[in-house]
Amino acid sequence: MDFRSLRVRLTLGIAAVSALGIGSVAIWTSSRTQHLLVAANKHHVAYLAERLPQDIEIYQQMMARSRAMQKAIDNRTTGTTLIWVEGEQGEILAQSDGLKVGTRDRALLSLGNIPLFPEVKSLNDRYWVMCQTPLIVQDRNLGELVLATDITEEQVMFQQLLWTLAGASIAAIGLMTIAIAFYVRRSLCPLEQMCQVAQNLSSEQFEREQLQFENAPTEVKQLAQTLDRTLLQLYQTWEQQRQFVSNVSHELRTPLTLVSGYLQSTLRRGKNLSEAQTEALGIAASEAERTIQLLSDLLDLARVDNHHLHFHLEPIVLNEAIAEIIEMARQTCDRDLEFYANETVSAIADFNRLKQVLINLIDNAVKYSQKEVVVSLECAGEQAKIEVRDRGWGIPLAQQSRIFERFYRVDEARSRSTGGTGLGLSIVKTLVEGMKGSVRVRSQPGEGSCFIILLPLV
Ligand code: ADP
């Protein structure tokens, strides 16, 4: 659980406040119930403490004081109320029958610290409302009158109620936390979706994910709608940019091919050109050639981006296909090109795209090394593995993951002198992935590079 996430914080915060609310209501309800239960008994005890001296006074007119005292006590004693009178030395002057020797509640007589006003006291798992008051009859202090009302039954009922209340509160808090977690998750869902869309955002992937925010809170909905509009504008801009690049490349390539053709033929046929003129024309021709290559690469990428590049995938015997491509590459370069394959390997591929990929990689290997270039073919599990190896400059580890990006070049100055465009490897990657394969590089600066292509076997 991530305690920094908005979802966890909101859930815990709302759950804590709800728990506090439910807890407070439960505590208030229980204390109020307890108060009401005890209050009635307290009133009864206080009433008896007030009435008993008057009863004794009445009985005294008919009998002796000690008998009058006992008579009044017997009269007011009930199944739950016990009364006794203590003399100055603590001796019992009169008492309810329930306090006599051998009775269950006799222990009450030895209880000390009995308050002046009715209060709850517990003794041997039983609860009593008790009070003690001087017994004054006709201005004479006859001793201490002690009253005790048994409230054990009410107290047990109250404790059961308390447990039920606590259980219900815990269950309510648990259910509420689950409901809150669910609600918060649902409310923040569009935020997570927006985050994912932003992470997956790329100019190469044109399909725009539609954000779902029908049930989201207003603020989140507004944010999602704003992001949705921004994304739409962004995708439209990218689309216009792609269209522009594609149109410009297309429009420039044709006249430039003409220019290049004229330059080549002038160079071939121009017998009376000075050395400086020949050199200038040579530079112009090679720059025109480089620009035509750049425009072709840009057109290829624009076709991929617009999903206009189609792959004709079919089973191919790679040994024959690669041998043919290498033969073709040998025509245009004077480097030693070797090809090794110990077994016959057939894969699902598009021959023309594979040719473009290998020519690109061989071209790079020739450009960025001075020694022989080796191409090898083998089976690697469920895939065909083609390696293009050179013993050249190599690529530093930090840059190996970036060389497949468009226009990325490791060493700008050195790469420019080799005449590249910085688009070759991104085309390689796009084409290989279009054939459901993958490409990666292994390289050691100063030792050389190895580009590995994996294609699905037949
Ligand atoms: P470029 O047209 O510049 O060759 P690429 O996309 O083909 O563009 O390659 C990108 C960069 O990766 C190059 O500029 C170069 O620095 C590096 N690179 C590619 N292939 C090799 C290789 N075989 N050896 C060393 N560096 C390479």
Side-chain angles (χ1 to χ4, degrees):
M1 199 176 352
D2 179 9
F3 286 98
R4 283 166 167 255
S5 86
L6 184 61
R7 207 175 81 195
V8 174
R9 281 187 185 187
L10 271 178
T11 308
L12 290 183
I14 299 175
V17 171
S18 319
L20 208 70
I22 292 178
S24 310
V25 170
I27 290 170
W28 182 82
T29 311
S30 58
S31 78
R32 194 79 202 119
T33 314
Q34 165 82 330
H35 179 76
L36 287 174
L37 273 176
V38 174
N41 289 296
K42 280 184 177 173
H43 278 128
H44 179 61
V45 169
Y47 169 75
L48 287 183
E50 200 185 304
R51 283 293 305 173
L52 222 90
Q54 295 169 17
D55 291 358
I56 294 172
E57 199 178 324
I58 294 166
Y59 287 124
Q60 239 182 355
Q61 292 167 7
M62 296 176 264
M63 56 191 81
R65 188 191 302 144
S66 59
R67 278 198 58 213
M69 218 187 280
Q70 187 59 51
K71 179 90 176 136
I73 287 175
D74 289 344
N75 220 16
R76 294 286 177 185
T77 299
T78 63
T80 52
T81 306
L82 299 172
I83 307 164
W84 70 98
V85 178
E86 285 180 12
E88 274 176 29
Q89 312 301 321
E91 75 279 15
I92 304 297
L93 302 177
Q95 63 189 5
S96 302
D97 283 350
L99 291 164
K100 291 197 173 139
V101 182
T103 53
R104 185 188 60 178
D105 300 324
R106 190 167 170 78
L108 277 173
L109 297 178
S110 49
L111 206 68
N113 290 334
I114 299 170
L116 272 179
F117 297 100
E119 257 182 35
V120 180
K121 292 227 154 222
S122 79
L123 180 74
N124 302 338
D125 294 337
R126 297 181 74 77
Y127 296 90
W128 302 86
V129 173
M130 294 181 81
C131 80
Q132 169 176 340
T133 177
L135 179 61
I136 296 168
V137 179
Q138 291 174 332
D139 297 333
R140 271 196 66 187
N141 190 345
L142 303 183
E144 287 293 318
L145 172 67
V146 189
L147 296 116
T149 293
D150 188 358
I151 56 160
T152 310
E153 231 172 79
E154 285 103 317
Q155 208 61 23
V156 168
M157 258 171 56
F158 170 72
Q159 273 169 6
Q160 277 172 357
L161 181 83
L162 215 64
W163 280 116
T164 313
L165 201 65
S169 305
I170 291 169
I173 291 168
L175 282 176
M176 248 169 69
T177 309
I178 294 171
I180 290 166
F182 181 72
Y183 176 73
V184 169
R185 190 194 162 93
R186 213 178 132 90
S187 302
L188 296 183
C189 198
L191 282 185
E192 279 174 22
Q193 215 195 343
M194 279 189 270
C195 188
Q196 259 173 18
V197 169
Q199 273 170 0
N200 296 338
L201 202 63
S202 85
S203 59
E204 283 140 56
Q205 191 189 342
F206 186 67
E207 268 82 37
R208 192 167 69 90
E209 238 182 273
Q210 197 65 41
L211 292 173
Q212 302 292 327
F213 44 75
E214 272 73 43
N215 298 319
T218 313
E219 296 81 357
V220 176
K221 198 170 179 170
Q222 281 170 354
L223 183 64
Q225 278 169 339
T226 311
L227 181 73
D228 208 44
R229 272 198 300 277
T230 314
L231 284 183
L232 184 66
Q233 284 165 0
L234 194 62
Y235 279 107
Q236 279 170 350
T237 313
W238 278 340
E239 175 57 9
Q240 283 165 0
Q241 195 188 349
R242 276 190 208 111
Q243 207 56 52
F244 175 76
V245 171
S246 165
N247 292 345
V248 168
S249 311
H250 196 262
E251 292 303 318
L252 287 181
R253 201 171 59 161
T254 320
L256 216 67
T257 313
L258 263 173
V259 171
S260 172
Y262 281 127
L263 286 172
Q264 301 283 3
S265 72
T266 313
L267 263 175
R268 267 199 310 274
R269 295 204 198 116
K271 301 271 185 281
N272 28 5
L273 290 172
S274 68
E275 206 173 304
Q277 284 172 326
T278 312
E279 193 187 345
L281 278 176
I283 293 171
S286 86
E287 280 305 304
E289 211 36 61
R290 200 174 84 86
T291 314
I292 289 169
Q293 184 56 48
L294 172 70
L295 292 174
S296 297
D297 288 351
L298 279 174
L299 262 178
D300 277 348
L301 286 172
R303 274 194 209 110
V304 172
D305 291 341
N306 294 332
H307 302 291
H308 290 156
L309 196 72
H310 299 292
F311 291 87
H312 183 62
L313 295 177
E314 60 183 350
I316 291 180
V317 181
L318 288 178
N319 306 56
E320 293 165 13
I322 296 173
E324 192 182 325
I325 295 165
I326 287 191
E327 209 38 62
M328 228 179 288
R330 279 192 186 119
Q331 316 284 314
T332 52
C333 81
D334 51 0
R335 192 70 57 80
D336 192 8
L337 282 181
E338 291 163 24
F339 173 47
Y340 297 109
N342 292 331
E343 54 191 323
T344 307
V345 183
S346 299
I348 305 283
D350 177 328
F351 176 74
N352 287 322
R353 306 293 174 213
L354 182 65
K355 184 166 82 181
Q356 211 175 337
V357 165
L358 287 180
I359 294 284
N360 248 312
L361 291 180
I362 292 169
D363 191 38
N364 273 352
V366 170
K367 269 195 298 191
Y368 302 112
S369 76
Q370 258 87 48
K371 302 198 174 102
E372 81 286 346
V373 175
V374 179
V375 180
S376 63
L377 170 69
E378 61 180 325
C379 271
E382 295 291 292
Q383 289 172 304
K385 182 170 158 191
I386 307 167
E387 287 187 352
V388 179
R389 243 171 297 134
D390 64 63
R391 292 199 285 146
W393 305 340
I395 307 160
L397 188 64
Q399 270 128 334
Q400 286 177 18
S401 59
R402 299 207 56 196
I403 54 171
F404 294 98
E405 289 172 19
R406 291 179 190 185
F407 295 108
Y408 187 83
R409 308 171 100 184
V410 175
D411 180 342
E412 193 61 42
R414 193 156 61 169
S415 297
R416 186 161 284 280
S417 70
T418 59
T421 61
L423 288 174
L425 287 182
S426 77
I427 290 178
V428 165
K429 185 169 187 283
T430 310
L431 294 182
V432 172
E433 284 173 358
M435 291 188 281
K436 316 255 180 300
S438 62
V439 59
R440 62 174 198 269
V441 65
R442 228 176 32 221
S443 184
Q444 195 77 41
E447 285 185 20
S449 308
C450 176
F451 285 84
I452 303 153
I453 299 165
L454 295 172
L455 290 171
L457 286 176
V458 174

